[in-house]
Amino acid sequence: MVNSSSDFANVYAKFQAPISRRYDCGTKCAPLNNGIPVCCDYERTVPVADEGEWELLKSRTDLWSVYTPKGKTEEKEFSGLADGCQSIVCKGAKLCERDNRTIACRAFPFFPYFTVEKELFGLGYYWGFEGLCWVISNLTIVEKPFVDEMIAASEYLFARDADELATYITFSATMRGVFTKWNRKIPLLGRDGQLYWVLPNSGGKIVPATTAEFETKLAPFGKAQKEAA
Ligand code: SF4
Ligand code: SF4
């Protein structure tokens, strides 16, 4: 089973909370990225929509169009997409339509993080954007309604799409492997609203973190960082 366009419409209706009502994070990262918010810059990341999501978007807006891969690397990358999935680009940040953002737009920089026991614990982030995405360096600004809505959206979609579920279970394991290689702790936002670390080389052990630790030990904004935290 996969998610239909009406399933995605349900998720769009319920996944609306901003990461933070206090900060417009695009004003933080865009000045260091030629004036374009990093997650809206298709030179850096291209959203991929499932078949049902793409059907929904085409039915409600002309904001999006099919993205044509550039060069052999991208052709290879996008040729591996699951059946019906489509890489797409919007008209740009100045023409953004809030109600017609993809799930990927709404969730960025986060993905649903699964424990070794395959339980949906909370939110991890796309570590390739450390130093570029201001939110990743300031995780304490993320508000609980955002976490709640993203978890609910993820559970709704996973209940109907086992492949999507498997993708994020695998991706969480990949994150543990990468951070273990770097000998770094993974910062996590728990679905309970608390802060956590996943310890490296621990079989995925999760321990509580403090706000003070998250305010001082996250990857700094403005420069790539892979050293031990
Ligand atoms: S989520 Fe990150 S990359 Fe996107 S606008 Fe906010 S700070 Fe920039
Ligand atoms: S739809 Fe909006 S949030 Fe999504 S990539 Fe385009 S400008 Fe950014």
Side-chain angles (χ1 to χ4, degrees), residues 180-217:
T180 285
K181 202 167 150 199
W182 291 343
N183 193 28
R184 284 180 51 197
K185 297 179 283 189
I186 299 174
L188 278 189
L189 300 177
R191 60 185 296 164
D192 59 2
Q194 304 300 308
L195 310 175
Y196 293 93
W197 298 112
V198 184
L199 304 181
N201 263 318
S202 68
K205 185 175 179 190
I206 298 174
V207 297
T210 64
T211 301
E213 286 173 329
F214 265 38
E215 284 173 350
T216 55
K217 294 192 173 178

Side-chain angles (χ1 to χ4, degrees), residues 19 24-30 36-40 105 107-110 129 132-136 221:
I19 285 175
D24 177 0
C25 58
T27 64
K28 306 283 189 184
C29 70
I36 305 170
V38 168
C39 55
C40 306
C105 298
F108 194 92
F110 299 106
F129 289 88
L132 295 169
C133 169
W134 179 82
V135 170
I136 289 174
F221 176 61

Side-chain angles (χ1 to χ4, degrees), residues 149-205:
E149 289 186 20
M150 181 163 166
I151 293 288
S154 302
E155 289 185 323
Y156 182 96
L157 294 170
F158 293 152
R160 291 160 186 76
D161 190 339
D163 288 345
E164 190 80 352
L165 171 65
T167 295
Y168 285 105
I169 290 172
T170 302
F171 197 66
S172 302
T174 301
M175 188 177 199
R176 286 190 290 276
V178 169
F179 276 66
T180 285
K181 202 167 150 199
W182 291 343
N183 193 28
R184 284 180 51 197
K185 297 179 283 189
I186 299 174
L188 278 189
L189 300 177
R191 60 185 296 164
D192 59 2
Q194 304 300 308
L195 310 175
Y196 293 93
W197 298 112
V198 184
L199 304 181
N201 263 318
S202 68
K205 185 175 179 190

Side-chain angles (χ1 to χ4, degrees), residues 67-116:
Y67 177 74
T68 307
K70 293 196 205 94
K72 293 221 175 319
T73 309
E74 280 195 1
E75 273 171 28
K76 194 171 165 199
E77 185 186 337
F78 291 117
S79 69
L81 293 179
D83 279 354
C85 287
Q86 184 63 63
S87 51
I88 54 178
V89 281
C90 74
K91 292 178 179 172
K94 290 198 173 104
L95 297 172
C96 186
E97 297 170 15
R98 189 166 175 77
D99 287 344
N100 290 321
R101 291 169 302 146
T102 61
I103 303 285
C105 298
R106 293 165 203 243
F108 194 92
F110 299 106
F111 72 89
Y113 178 89
F114 284 84
T115 64
V116 172

